[in-house]
Amino acid sequence: MADAIADEAARLRWLADRVPVPTIRLSVATPDRAWLLTDAAPGLTGDEWLARDIDALPAIIRGAAKLLQGWHALPVEDCPFDAGHRLRLAQARRNVDEGAVDTDDFDQDHQGWSAAAMLAHTEAIAPLQSERVVTHGDFSLGNILFDEAGQVAACIDVGGAGVADPYQDIAIPWRNLSDFGVEWPAMLLLELGIAAHDERRLQFHRCLDEMF
């Protein structure tokens, strides 16, 4: 837990003035403990807005896509954090070995799978190539805050941010939006300017996320 808090603090410092994130007020770390205090982030998460008003979905998608384009446009050479899929696969293996994977939380099409089976499948479809951009790492609708006009107010939970394949950030909202119908993930890709997506990379990152 201390490491996770320290990771969050380090990334919040680097991201300040680059993308909308909460401002740190206090951060303290020792070898085995850490504390982090930030300003309260304004707005409601995408999930909370949709629970109130499903008609907000198009505005949520447009706002999320614009935010993601801003993340992915950050200069890779300036980012000190590596979040590539090889590192995440190594952590996934540790999670499986330690029994830390919640198989009950797997997506519907993976229900009944063991953690070991998910790991083996994910390793088998690992992408042969990838791009390098600055990624959020857990770009779910629950980690993006919107104001009443549908504009992005802040993004939170940035402890996994770093240089990685952009599909790391595309796969998670794509999966979120699939719950509302196939047209909404398609709208996300369109808003991101992706005319033909890479299905293998999309599925790999979706499966990889199952183990976190």
Side-chain angles (χ1 to χ4, degrees), residues 85-96:
H85 69 266
R86 291 177 179 83
L87 286 179
R88 285 176 56 80
L89 260 179
Q91 181 61 58
R93 294 185 189 105
R94 290 192 290 273
N95 290 347
V96 172

Side-chain angles (χ1 to χ4, degrees), residues 98-176:
E98 295 168 5
V101 176
D102 182 4
T103 58
D104 291 337
D105 195 44
F106 282 177
D107 290 342
Q108 187 63 40
D109 57 335
H110 298 144
Q111 287 295 311
W113 290 33
S114 68
M118 176 58 70
L119 177 61
H121 174 71
T122 305
E123 291 176 326
I125 63 171
L128 301 177
Q129 62 180 10
S130 64
E131 302 170 59
R132 285 169 54 81
V133 300
V134 178
T135 63
H136 176 282
D138 188 10
F139 198 74
S140 68
L141 298 182
N143 285 333
I144 312 169
L145 296 164
F146 298 85
D147 63 22
E148 292 187 4
Q151 300 299 308
V152 171
C155 48
I156 58 175
D157 196 11
V158 298
V163 177
D165 187 278
Y167 276 83
Q168 166 62 34
D169 283 343
I170 296 169
I172 295 174
W174 181 90
R175 181 192 64 202
N176 291 162

Side-chain angles (χ1 to χ4, degrees), residues 2-91:
D3 287 346
I5 293 173
D7 286 344
E8 184 83 12
R11 285 156 175 80
L12 284 174
R13 290 191 188 94
W14 185 78
L15 289 164
D17 300 324
R18 289 182 167 91
V19 292
V21 293
T23 300
I24 293 178
R25 291 304 175 190
L26 177 66
S27 176
V28 179
T30 69
D32 58 352
R33 293 188 180 185
W35 296 264
L36 175 63
L37 176 66
T38 71
D39 284 346
L44 297 175
T45 69
D47 288 337
E48 289 170 333
W49 275 119
L50 294 177
R52 289 186 174 195
D53 180 12
I54 193 61
D55 291 337
L57 193 48
I60 294 296
I61 292 173
R62 285 191 292 269
K66 183 177 179 180
L67 174 63
L68 192 55
Q69 288 173 324
W71 273 84
H72 292 179
L74 294 174
V76 169
E77 61 272 14
D78 291 349
C79 182
F81 310 110
D82 184 4
H85 69 266
R86 291 177 179 83
L87 286 179
R88 285 176 56 80
L89 260 179
Q91 181 61 58

